[in-house]
């Protein structure tokens, strides 16, 4: 009797468990195939190209690591990206905090303002700074009108103009990531700190701030990775001294048509960003975005 | 008293930062309506001449058509690929889910110049350079995460028993997804698709390599014009791009509001 | 008139040796159950006892690892859930938020019964009348109160006249008053439609009030099956005794067994007469002596002559007011017994007073010290 019952249910059970495997595989297949064909395969070919174009040698990499030009550009890139990241974090923190502690209408309003720039092309936002910071730009006009300076300040084509635009471009994302992290902090802890005698500032400093630090580090890593790849902003607002790696790769490829060298530099940049993204993933788990591995 | 002072300082700081965020946007919008010949802010007067200039220039018109086609195709590909992937990631136990997630998201953190070069080198032998469809295929890779993230978020917020309720009352499981789950998560999917569209409309570097010659999309046209001229046409083109994005978003938001009003 | 229109005949449901595990966790372990046609049966148990898993197995959302489910003598192993012709009410109702009340109720008709438009409209109207929501048919679920949503869920589950209705803790989200009202309504609806109902709940009073048959589940197995009254009065083991209502489970040692009566020792003091054990027992075995608190008779020790004291003597430790009754905790040696007395009698029992506790012989039962699915550590006296 039991044996018969077990026998009759065996086929559907097997069908069900294999269905549990086949359906998600079918659902993921197109997406993964697409990524492999249009993203991973091109990257692999680029990697191959970086050797093949120089007669199957490491010549391109030797240039990368020995030429003073590349060393200088890499240093500038890391320096600019780091400074932009730190400033973006400092400016994003209070906005994210206010978003966290306010509710309803005020939160919606601030979020709207934060998202508006996101809908505007990076080229356009950079271009806007070109207009604002010029000799006849609004900033210089204001400074001269108020008598603070008498000749226009050199606001363009230096690291100031590059940074002010980069930070403006990075800010919305930084705010959103920090806000997301802060929302996960249990706010009753702050109430608990206050009940036990901490003032607002003390409660913030001893409870909220330490708890928000992991979110700050996470946002910092992600924003840093993105700033390493900036092209438009340093190209439009910087001088040759502010050249970042993406510009150099662009010149190698589109002007010098040295695809081997461009590929090698691109690969090094890719490896650096992938390493940082992997660190981020290790500690902050990218797949938290869809409910984590437990879902 | 002290707490009030704190709040005031914090409020002022946040207001200043927000001004810094949106001021460049205001500047571009204002200059696009300038009556002057130069990129001055504040503009000397109001006119629509730069918009007329764009409408009368076949190169700009074609650029906008290319961008619309490109963005539309990208959004379509990203949605068709991303929605099923989101279902798999949210609804099923999958081995190596963390690795798969990282794979789907990694296009977002890859420096655009790297993607641009590798895509171009790959496309030339395939004859996909100078192809809008080809570029949309490449854009779909980085547009997909937006669809996956937003669909997954909606899906996670949806009661799984709704689908079960449909099934137990006679709906075929596939039909239950179509009739019950999809209508409920539709706003999430649409937001993801709009973001993928905007991502494609803003992308410069891959587009420069693949469609840099004839048939440039708007971003490439703006970028190459920017090196040569400096009249408010660029601002007007940018403003149209902004308008386009806001229009799409407004459509989405009002559709959502409509859906909500219908159900409250 | 409505009642005759919606009446159907219930299905007989049989579970044979049903098992289901999630990895190493056994959720349902060899469950065998026969639900007669038209019965209202409750699966009652604490969370994790396997009741919801059983329901999902019957619905077909889960596939059993072993065993079979027969609906009207037909195995449904190969029938996917959408073709099992079952109605179901979910814990959070799971009404479709993008459809009106009428569309929600009409959903099963659109899916399975290919009826004419007029016929479906008539059926939907009948169902809405049955749950008294005809006036709200154009509303959306979010515009309804919890009780109204509950009724829409009932109407949707019953509209295609399924012969089996599954309900998964459908009243859990409602407050106490509304819950009691809905219990009565569900009973009435069950009576008028005649369908077989399998009802999952962790609320023992709900199960006792509503069911024809209660299946008490514990640790993936059935602890006992019976009518509510039989379970309450004659629990088969300590777990059931403890889970249903208040009970005293006094650790005892069997001293003597006989055909009509046996004697037990409590602690190392009294030897008390008890009815014969309903299980194989020998002198020297450990057992629980089970008595309901309301079956205890209390007398102030001062009013009873020592030689007349037939029961246990204890000291009142605690006295608490519960509206209709007072509950007392009485220390007897190392044990603490629970008793209930009517409000007007409580004047004579203050904390610290000595009382004599007694009960009629058939109010007490002997239960095995460790029983299948119940352990003394968990279901001892509380």
């Amino acid at each position: 009797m039991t044996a018969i019952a077990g026998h009759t249910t065996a086929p559907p059970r097997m069908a069900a468990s294999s269905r549990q495997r086949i359906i998600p595989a079918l659902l993921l297949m197109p997406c993964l195939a697409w990524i492999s064909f249009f993203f991973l395969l091109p990257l692999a070919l680029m990697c191959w190209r970086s050797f093949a174009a120089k007669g199957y040698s490491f010549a391109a990499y030797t240039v990368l690591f020995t030429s003073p030009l590349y060393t200088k550009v890499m240093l500038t890139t890391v320096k600019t990206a780091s400074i932009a990241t730190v400033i973006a974090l400092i400016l994003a923190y209070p906005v994210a905090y206010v978003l966290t502690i306010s509710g309803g209408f005020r939160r919606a309003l601030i979020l709207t303002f934060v998202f508006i720039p996101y809908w505007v092309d990076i080229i356009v936002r950079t271009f806007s700074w070109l207009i604002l910071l010029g000799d006849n730009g609004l900033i210089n006009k204001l400074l001269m009108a108020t008598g603070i300076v008498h000749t226009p300040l050199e606001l363009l084509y230096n690291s100031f103009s590059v940074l002010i635009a980069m930070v403006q471009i990075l800010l919305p994302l930084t705010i959103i990531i920090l806000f997301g992290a802060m929302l996960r902090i249990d706010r009753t802890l702050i109430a608990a700190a206050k009940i036990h005698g901490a003032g607002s500032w003390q409660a913030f400093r001893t409870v909220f701030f330490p708890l928000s630090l992991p979110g700050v580090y996470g946002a910092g890593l992600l924003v840093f990775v993105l700033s390493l790849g900036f092209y438009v902003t340093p190209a439009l607002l910087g001088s040759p001294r502010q050249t970042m790696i993406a510009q150099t790769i662009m010149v190698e490829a589109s002007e010098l048509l040295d695809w081997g060298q461009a590929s090698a530099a691109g690969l090094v940049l890719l490896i650096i960003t992938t390493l940082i993204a992997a660190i981020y993933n290790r500690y902050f788990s990218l797949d938290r975005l869809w409910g984590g591995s437990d879902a | 008293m002290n707490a009030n002072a704190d709040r005031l300082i914090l409020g002022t700081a946040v207001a200043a930062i927000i001004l810094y965020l949106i001021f460049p946007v205001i500047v571009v919008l204002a200059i696009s309506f300038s009556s002057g010949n130069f990129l001055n802010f504040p503009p000397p007067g109001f006119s629509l001449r730069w918009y007329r200039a764009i409408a009368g220039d076949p190169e700009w018109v074609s650029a906008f058509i290319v961008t619309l086609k490109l963005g539309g195709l990208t959004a379509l590909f990203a949605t068709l690929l991303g929605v099923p992937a989101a279902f798999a990631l949210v609804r099923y136990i999958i081995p190596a889910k963390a690795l798969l997630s990282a794979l789907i998201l990694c296009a977002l953190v890859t420096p655009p110049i790297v993607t641009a070069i590798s895509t171009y080198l790959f496309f030339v032998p395939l004859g996909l350079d100078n192809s809008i469809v080809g570029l949309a295929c490449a854009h779909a890779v980085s547009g997909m995460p937006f669809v996956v993230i937003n669909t997954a978020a909606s899906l996670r917020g949806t009661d799984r028993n709704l689908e079960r309720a449909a099934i137990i009352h006679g709906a075929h499981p596939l039909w239950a997804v179509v009739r019950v789950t999809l209508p409920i998560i539709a706003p999430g999917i649409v937001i993801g698709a709009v973001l993928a569209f905007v991502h494609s409309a803003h992308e410069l570097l891959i587009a420069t390599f693949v469609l840099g010659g004839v048939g440039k999309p708007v971003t490439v046209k703006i970028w190459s014009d920017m090196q040569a001229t400096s009249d408010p046409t660029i601002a007007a083109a940018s403003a149209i791009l902004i308008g386009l994005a806001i229009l799409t978003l407004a459509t989405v938001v009002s559709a959502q509001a409509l859906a909500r009003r219908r159900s409250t | 008139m409505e009642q005759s229109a919606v009446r159907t005949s219930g299905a007989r449901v049989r579970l044979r040796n049903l098992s289901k595990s999630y990895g190493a966790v056994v959720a349902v372990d060899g469950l065998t159950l026969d639900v007669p046609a038209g019965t209202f049966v409750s699966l009652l148990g604490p969370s994790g006892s396997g009741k919801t898993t059983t329901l999902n197995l019957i619905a077909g959302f889960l596939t059993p690892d072993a065993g079979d489910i027969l609906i009207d003598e037909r195995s449904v192993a190969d029938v996917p859930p959408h073709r099992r012709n079952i109605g179901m009410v979910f814990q959070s109702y799971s009404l479709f938020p993008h459809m009106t009340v009428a569309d929600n109720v009409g959903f099963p008709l659109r899916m399975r019964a290919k009826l004419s438009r007029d016929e479906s409209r008539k059926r939907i109207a009948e169902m809405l009348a049955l749950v008294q929501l005809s006036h709200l048919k154009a509303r959306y679920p979010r515009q309804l109160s919890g009780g109204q949503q509950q009724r829409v869920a009932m109407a949707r589950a019953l509209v295609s006249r399924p012969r089996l209705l599954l309900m998964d803790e459908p009243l859990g989200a409602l407050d106490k008053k509304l819950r009691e009202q809905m219990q009565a309504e569900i009973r009435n609806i069950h009576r008028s439609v005649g369908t077989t109902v399998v009802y999952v709940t962790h609320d023992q009073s709900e199960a006792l009030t509503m069911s024809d048959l209660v299946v008490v589940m514990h640790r993936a197995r059935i602890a006992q099956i019976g009518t509510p009254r039989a379970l309450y009065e004659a629990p088969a083991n300590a777990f059931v005794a403890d889970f249903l209502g208040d009970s005293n489970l006094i650790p005892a040692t069997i001293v003597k067994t006989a055909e009509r009566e046996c004697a037990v020792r409590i602690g190392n003091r009294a030897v008390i007469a008890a009815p014969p054990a309903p299980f194989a027992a020998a002198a020297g075995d450990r057992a629980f002596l089970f008595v309901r608190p309301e079956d205890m008779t209390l007398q102030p020790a001062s009013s009873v002559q020592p030689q007349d004291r037939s029961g246990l003597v204890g000291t009142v430790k605690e006295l608490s007011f519960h509206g209709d009754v007072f509950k007392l905790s009485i220390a007897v040696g190392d044990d603490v017994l629970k008793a209930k007395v009517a409000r007007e009698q409580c004047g004579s029992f203050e904390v610290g007073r000595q009382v004599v506790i007694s009960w009629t012989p058939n109010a007490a039962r002997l239960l095995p010290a460790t029983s299948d699915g119940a352990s003394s550590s968990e279901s001892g006296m509380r």
Side-chain angles (χ1 to χ4, degrees):
Chain A
M1 169 86 180
T2 316
I4 294 165
H7 180 73
T8 51
T9 52
R13 174 181 15 135
M14 278 178 60
S17 62
S18 62
R19 206 185 306 141
Q20 285 295 308
R21 271 193 289 272
I22 289 170
I23 293 178
L26 285 177
L27 291 172
L28 279 168
M29 194 70 77
C31 155
L32 294 180
W34 195 280
I35 291 175
S36 306
F37 190 76
F38 286 107
F39 185 66
L40 298 181
L41 188 57
L43 287 177
L45 285 174
M46 184 187 83
C47 176
W48 174 76
R49 186 80 178 233
S50 71
F51 298 104
K54 307 276 179 181
Y56 299 98
S57 73
F58 285 95
Y61 294 91
T62 317
V63 172
L64 271 187
F65 293 109
T66 53
S67 102
L69 169 77
Y70 271 102
T71 314
K72 189 181 160 298
V73 168
M74 260 335 274
L75 280 177
T76 313
T77 305
V78 171
K79 197 181 85 186
T80 313
S82 313
I83 299 173
T85 303
V86 171
I87 299 176
L89 286 174
I90 292 170
L91 294 184
Y93 197 95
V95 182
Y97 179 70
V98 168
L99 276 172
T100 311
I101 59 171
S102 40
F105 177 73
R106 189 163 8 150
R107 180 184 283 181
L109 188 74
I110 299 175
L111 275 177
T112 309
F113 283 134
V114 170
F115 272 117
I116 284 176
Y118 185 84
W119 294 90
V120 182
D121 199 344
I122 289 181
I123 305 174
V124 177
R125 280 192 268 166
T126 306
F127 175 63
S128 177
W129 287 107
L130 192 69
I131 299 165
L132 282 170
L133 298 175
D135 285 357
N136 282 320
L138 185 72
I139 311 275
N140 266 321
K141 271 188 202 159
L142 279 178
L143 288 175
M144 292 200 287
T146 50
I148 298 173
V149 294
H150 299 288
T151 52
L153 288 179
E154 292 277 338
L155 295 176
L156 271 179
Y157 310 118
N158 52 30
S159 36
F160 170 77
S161 53
V162 173
L163 282 171
I164 198 170
M166 269 181 83
V167 170
Q168 197 262 350
I169 289 162
L170 293 168
L171 255 183
L173 183 74
T174 322
I175 291 171
I176 295 309
I177 299 176
L178 278 183
F179 176 45
M182 286 180 185
L183 277 182
R184 281 196 286 273
I185 298 174
D186 181 0
R187 294 229 281 119
T188 56
L189 291 174
I190 298 162
K194 285 186 182 167
I195 284 290
H196 295 111
S200 293
W201 170 244
Q202 274 177 310
F204 171 80
R205 198 173 51 82
T206 58
V207 179
F208 190 90
F209 185 70
L211 288 174
S212 71
L213 279 179
V216 173
Y217 300 143
L221 280 177
L222 218 53
V223 170
F224 181 69
V225 168
L226 294 181
S227 17
L228 284 179
F230 263 57
Y231 170 77
V232 168
T233 314
L236 200 64
L237 296 178
S239 73
R241 295 177 43 169
Q242 276 79 45
T243 303
M244 288 175 74
I245 185 73
Q247 292 165 268
T248 313
I249 298 175
M250 189 70 174
V251 171
E252 294 280 8
S254 63
E255 288 171 30
L256 306 176
L257 300 178
D258 187 345
W259 295 99
Q261 194 62 53
S263 297
L267 197 69
V268 170
L269 180 59
L270 179 69
I271 289 168
I272 295 171
T273 52
T274 307
L275 279 179
I276 301 171
I279 294 171
Y280 177 88
N281 194 26
R282 169 85 177 68
Y283 291 100
F284 305 98
S285 172
L286 284 167
D287 64 341
R288 188 186 282 165
L289 289 165
W290 36 76
S293 354
D294 54 352
Chain B
M1 185 63 203
N2 194 13
N4 280 342
D6 283 354
R7 293 181 78 92
L8 194 69
I9 294 168
L10 193 62
T12 316
V14 168
I17 294 165
I18 285 174
L19 186 69
Y20 165 52
L21 263 180
I22 63 166
F23 197 65
V25 180
I26 296 170
V27 168
V28 171
L29 286 178
I31 288 181
S32 74
F33 292 105
S34 171
S35 58
N37 285 328
F38 301 101
L39 294 164
N40 279 334
F41 185 84
F46 177 87
S47 87
L48 290 175
R49 56 187 284 208
W50 303 110
Y51 288 92
R52 277 197 295 272
I54 285 177
D57 182 342
E59 260 191 54
W60 276 114
V61 173
S62 118
F64 273 101
I65 292 171
V66 170
T67 291
L68 282 176
K69 281 186 190 163
L70 186 63
L73 278 175
T74 303
L76 181 72
F77 294 159
T79 308
L80 291 179
L81 299 165
V83 172
F87 265 87
L89 288 168
V90 173
R91 289 285 178 83
Y92 292 90
I93 295 157
I94 303 171
K97 190 181 269 190
L99 188 73
L100 289 176
S101 313
L103 192 61
I104 290 174
L105 291 175
C106 71
L108 279 185
V109 290
T110 304
I113 185 71
V114 176
T115 322
I117 287 181
S118 64
T119 304
Y120 180 68
L121 290 176
F122 182 63
F123 274 13
V124 172
L126 293 180
L128 281 172
D129 55 329
N130 288 320
S131 151
I132 292 180
V133 179
L135 184 53
C137 289
H139 279 174
V141 173
S142 37
M144 200 157 25
F146 296 103
V147 177
V148 178
I149 290 170
N150 283 284
T151 307
S154 303
L155 212 48
R156 254 185 295 124
T158 306
D159 177 10
R160 250 217 103 161
N161 277 339
L162 286 171
E163 222 170 87
R164 289 181 156 180
I167 291 171
I168 199 73
H169 293 123
H172 186 277
L174 209 60
W175 192 233
V177 171
V178 172
R179 282 297 306 272
V180 174
T181 312
L182 282 183
I184 293 170
I185 64 168
I189 298 177
V190 173
I191 287 179
V194 168
L195 287 170
F197 177 95
V198 170
H199 173 80
S200 161
H202 286 180
E203 202 285 324
L204 172 70
L205 291 178
I206 311 176
T208 305
F209 278 102
V210 177
L211 287 182
V214 286
K216 294 174 188 166
V218 177
T219 38
V220 180
K221 169 98 173 124
I222 290 180
W223 185 241
S224 53
D225 279 19
M226 220 177 254
Q227 332 280 13
T229 60
S230 59
D231 66 41
T233 330
I234 295 166
S238 311
I240 295 175
L241 222 49
I242 298 171
L244 212 63
I246 290 175
L247 201 71
T248 0
L249 186 71
T251 319
V252 177
V253 171
S254 54
Q256 248 182 303
L258 199 73
R260 207 177 305 126
R261 199 172 316 134
R262 211 180 49 183
S263 58
T264 42
Chain C
M1 195 186 110
E2 280 160 19
Q3 297 196 351
S4 64
V6 295
R7 189 151 188 97
T8 173
S9 64
R12 182 181 182 193
V13 179
R14 292 210 290 156
L15 311 182
R16 281 205 311 224
N17 242 325
L18 210 55
S19 292
K20 176 75 185 175
S21 315
Y22 305 104
V25 183
V26 181
V28 172
D29 187 5
L31 201 83
T32 297
L33 175 66
D34 189 345
V35 182
T39 315
F40 193 117
V41 60
S42 290
L43 303 182
L44 172 68
S47 59
S49 58
K51 52 193 193 318
T52 299
T53 302
T54 307
L55 199 73
N56 283 329
L57 287 167
I58 300 174
F61 296 137
L62 297 174
T63 315
D65 297 339
D68 204 357
I69 299 164
L70 293 97
I71 299 179
D72 285 331
E73 308 304 325
R74 226 184 101 233
S75 167
V76 292
D78 298 319
V79 184
H82 65 282
R83 284 205 238 105
R84 289 193 181 184
N85 205 12
I86 292 174
M88 186 159 178
V89 177
F90 291 81
Q91 191 164 10
S92 50
Y93 319 135
S94 298
L95 298 176
F96 307 127
H98 56 304
M99 297 183 195
T100 62
V101 166
D103 286 345
N104 263 286
V105 174
F107 186 87
L109 296 179
R110 292 198 298 280
M111 290 300 130
R112 51 167 69 123
K114 299 294 173 213
L115 298 177
S116 71
R117 187 176 289 255
D118 285 346
E119 183 67 17
S120 334
R121 205 173 292 150
K122 205 177 120 229
R123 286 264 205 115
I124 295 167
E126 266 169 24
M127 243 23 255
L128 286 173
L130 183 70
V131 297
Q132 299 158 34
L133 283 178
S134 305
H135 57 298
L136 297 177
K137 65 177 180 207
R139 296 264 183 99
Y140 283 91
R142 259 182 256 179
Q143 297 167 287
L144 305 180
S145 70
Q148 290 167 336
Q149 289 185 27
Q150 164 67 52
R151 285 184 216 168
V152 176
M154 283 288 287
R156 180 179 67 182
L158 290 169
V159 71
S160 64
R161 298 179 191 167
R163 302 184 59 217
L164 172 60
L165 174 64
L166 307 178
M167 303 181 86
D168 185 8
E169 309 218 9
L171 304 181
L174 304 179
D175 62 47
K176 189 167 176 289
K177 264 269 153 57
L178 195 54
R179 200 159 61 221
E180 283 170 2
Q181 186 193 332
M182 286 306 301
Q183 286 172 6
E185 265 180 56
I186 291 173
R187 279 298 289 169
N188 281 334
I189 291 171
H190 172 243
R191 264 195 291 274
S192 53
V193 298
T195 184
T196 305
V197 177
V198 179
Y199 188 101
V200 162
T201 181
H202 64 263
D203 181 337
Q204 44 104 2
S205 76
E206 195 167 290
L208 294 182
T209 322
M210 300 178 73
S211 323
D212 299 321
L213 206 58
V214 177
V215 179
V216 182
M217 294 195 64
H218 181 53
R219 296 190 176 171
R221 289 166 174 271
I222 293 177
Q224 193 176 358
I225 305 176
T227 63
R229 185 148 182 203
L231 290 184
Y232 189 81
E233 290 177 350
N237 50 55
F239 175 78
V240 176
D242 188 54
F243 194 70
L244 293 178
D246 283 337
S247 62
N248 289 297
L249 288 166
I250 313 162
T253 310
I254 296 171
V255 175
K256 195 184 76 186
T257 60
E259 197 160 309
R260 311 204 52 186
E261 194 184 73
C262 66
V264 297
R265 199 175 62 230
I266 294 173
N268 48 12
R269 297 173 311 278
V271 172
I272 291 179
F279 53 96
D285 284 357
R286 310 274 305 152
F288 284 118
L289 185 66
F290 157 81
V291 191
R292 292 280 178 203
E294 64 271 25
D295 291 337
M296 302 244 195
T297 309
L298 300 186
Q299 290 166 285
S302 54
S303 69
V304 186
Q305 295 303 313
Q307 65 272 22
D308 293 340
R309 291 178 186 171
S310 58
L312 298 165
V313 181
T315 313
V316 177
K317 286 282 175 204
E318 245 181 72
L319 189 66
S320 59
F321 177 57
H322 290 262
D324 46 352
V325 291
F326 277 87
K327 290 187 182 175
L328 290 83
S329 298
I330 302 158
V332 180
D334 294 334
D335 301 322
V336 177
L337 302 191
K338 287 179 272 187
K340 278 183 195 167
V341 297
R343 204 169 37 199
E344 64 274 9
Q345 290 172 10
C346 109
S348 34
F349 309 109
E350 285 158 19
V351 172
R353 281 276 187 90
Q354 288 245 305
V355 290
V356 177
I357 310 165
S358 59
W359 52 81
T360 58
N362 52 8
R365 282 178 71 82
L366 274 181
L367 301 178
T370 50
S371 66
D372 183 28
S375 72
S376 54
S377 67
E378 200 177 24
S379 53
M381 292 194 308
R382 271 184 290 180

